[in-house]
Amino acid sequence: MNDVNTRNISLIIARWEFLIRALDDVSYNVVIKLKNHMKSARKYDDIEKFNLFISYNNGISSSFFKACNYKLSDNGNVHKLEFRDCVGTIDWESKKSSVEISNEGVVSIDSFLRYVTSFLSLVQGGALVHSAGIIKNNRCFIFPGPSMSGKSTIAGLFRQRFTVIGEELSIILPSKEGYSVYGTPFLGSSSVLSNYGGYRLGGIIFHEKSDGYNIRKIEEVEALIRFVENVTFYSSSKKYANLVLENSEKITRSVKAFVMDFPNNSEWLSEFDKYLDEMI
Amino acid sequence: MKYKINPDAVYREINGVYYVLLPRDKTIHRFTDVGSLIWRLIDKNFSESEIIKEVVNQYDVEEEVVLNDLENFIKELVEKKILLKIE
């Protein structure tokens, strides 16, 4: 495992723990362990002792795991997920879990956490969405988009003007006011620490790189289709696909959605800022 | 040739417009107004001739045009694995 991976694992774990505390819903405990041959490396010691907390409210079906592309051993309430370079065990009854990293584990630990986050977000009525997020007047405006769509560019441009909640993945969960947005431990290309938030969802802005700036409101179906394309889910079962659609419909219906063309410069930011004021 | 809706497909309707999610491929497709009407009729197991008749009635177009459009539409749905050939 190289230094970059080591740094990433530490960051992911630290961010994850911070996030789950921020969610104030601590009821699940995951312990990260490294295999014996890696224990000699001093830099891994802290990770070995680290406890990881995951919120867990609802029941879980083993069919979800079976539908995913991971090898699963199902022993009652204990599920064992075998990844390419890591093994994760989840005991849903005792609410304890462990992840054992064997080699180059950053890929798997990240996969494991995305997998669990995606599932927990869905069963709680929300979604894990590929998006950057910015805060304006205590509301979060998310910018959903696939890789290379410009999420990191947008986050970089906005960083001096707004609080950036993340540039890669956001969790959207139901709240008293509608929906709240949280940053995640998952890194974007620039690896800038996220603000974990818990801000009310203010609007959804799909974005396309362009030579000039333009923004237009879009109708419900277009917003939904674009939004679903960016929801992270790993199951191929109809049950969870239905959850993706149901939750996405409710989320996109709760706020206005837009498509924004933007150039890679800061000249349009004032105009966009004013537009946000009008939206709020 | 007969077709059936891919049993894995999840589909819903918003304001008369249907969209379909294929969870295995992680792809989502949206239909036009006419496509949504045809999809609704396919879902109700209407035959090809019944679908053509219904579309002709609702959109006031030539039967030949509808037949051609329907064939293209079904071909596209099969290519995208939204519809499956059953014989």
Side-chain angles (χ1 to χ4, degrees), chain A residues 29-140:
Chain A
N29 182 10
V30 177
V31 180
I32 303 289
K33 286 182 180 175
L34 295 170
K35 276 192 171 175
N36 288 337
H37 71 274
M38 298 176 73
K39 282 184 179 174
S40 57
R42 189 180 57 81
K43 54 194 168 193
Y44 302 133
D45 288 352
D46 289 342
I47 300 172
E48 188 188 353
K49 295 172 188 166
F50 217 96
N51 286 335
L52 203 61
F53 296 95
I54 296 175
S55 66
Y56 177 68
N57 290 330
N58 299 289
I60 188 164
S61 160
S62 62
S63 63
F64 173 78
F65 292 100
K66 284 170 182 163
C68 294
N69 296 323
Y70 306 117
K71 188 179 171 188
L72 173 82
S73 308
D74 186 354
N75 178 20
N77 288 315
V78 181
H79 290 155
K80 186 176 177 185
L81 292 101
E82 293 183 38
F83 296 80
R84 181 169 58 84
D85 51 6
C86 126
V87 177
T89 309
I90 307 172
D91 184 338
W92 296 106
E93 192 172 51
S94 68
K95 297 183 176 180
K96 287 182 180 173
S97 177
S98 69
V99 182
E100 194 162 308
I101 306 166
S102 60
N103 189 28
E104 299 292 338
V106 68
V107 176
S108 292
I109 189 70
D110 192 69
S111 299
F112 180 81
L113 294 178
R114 283 179 193 231
Y115 173 93
V116 177
T117 312
S118 162
F119 173 73
L120 291 175
S121 304
L122 282 176
V123 296
Q124 291 181 38
L128 177 66
V129 187
H130 278 284
S131 66
I134 61 165
I135 308 303
K136 167 93 178 179
N137 295 349
N138 280 323
R139 297 198 183 196
C140 182

Side-chain angles (χ1 to χ4, degrees), chain A residues 219-222 224-225 228-229 233-239 241-242 244-246 249 253, chain B residues 6-15 17-24 26 28-30:
Chain A
E219 50 146 342
E220 192 180 332
V221 182
E222 185 180 353
L224 173 70
I225 300 288
V228 170
E229 284 172 343
F233 71 108
Y234 299 96
S235 171
S236 53
S237 81
K238 284 183 83 166
K239 179 180 174 184
N242 265 315
V244 169
L245 293 188
E246 279 174 29
E249 268 189 27
R253 205 174 276 162
Chain B
N6 184 336
D8 287 341
V10 176
Y11 49 96
R12 295 166 76 88
E13 182 190 358
I14 293 183
N15 303 332
V17 176
Y18 273 89
Y19 61 97
V20 181
L21 175 66
L22 291 178
R24 206 169 290 277
K26 306 283 186 289
I28 186 162
H29 306 277
R30 175 193 177 168

Side-chain angles (χ1 to χ4, degrees), chain B residues 28-87:
Chain B
I28 186 162
H29 306 277
R30 175 193 177 168
F31 298 143
T32 61
D33 288 348
V34 184
S36 293
L37 170 64
I38 294 171
W39 180 262
R40 195 178 300 121
L41 300 175
I42 291 172
D43 193 26
K44 288 179 180 172
N45 289 321
F46 275 44
S47 67
E48 185 177 283
S49 57
E50 288 170 324
I51 291 173
I52 291 169
K53 192 177 166 189
E54 193 70 25
V55 175
V56 167
N57 282 341
Q58 291 209 22
Y59 286 90
D60 193 23
V61 283
E62 299 284 333
E63 200 171 308
E64 244 177 61
V65 176
V66 175
L67 178 61
N68 188 42
D69 287 351
L70 181 62
E71 282 172 355
N72 287 335
F73 183 64
I74 286 175
K75 188 179 167 195
E76 197 180 333
L77 294 183
V78 171
E79 281 171 2
K80 289 177 176 169
K81 301 176 193 166
I82 297 169
L83 280 187
L84 304 176
K85 292 176 186 174
I86 51 177
E87 66 180 56

Side-chain angles (χ1 to χ4, degrees), chain A residues 135-186:
Chain A
I135 308 303
K136 167 93 178 179
N137 295 349
N138 280 323
R139 297 198 183 196
C140 182
F141 295 84
I142 60 165
F143 296 79
S147 297
M148 306 303 289
S149 66
K151 296 191 296 295
S152 296
T153 306
I154 283 176
L157 289 170
F158 284 157
R159 195 155 268 122
Q160 291 187 342
R161 191 176 282 261
F162 304 103
T163 299
V164 174
I165 200 173
E167 60 179 69
E168 171 68 8
L169 282 161
S170 308
I171 298 172
I172 302 175
L173 294 174
S175 63
K176 287 177 186 171
E177 300 169 314
Y179 286 90
S180 291
V181 186
Y182 300 83
T184 69
F186 309 115

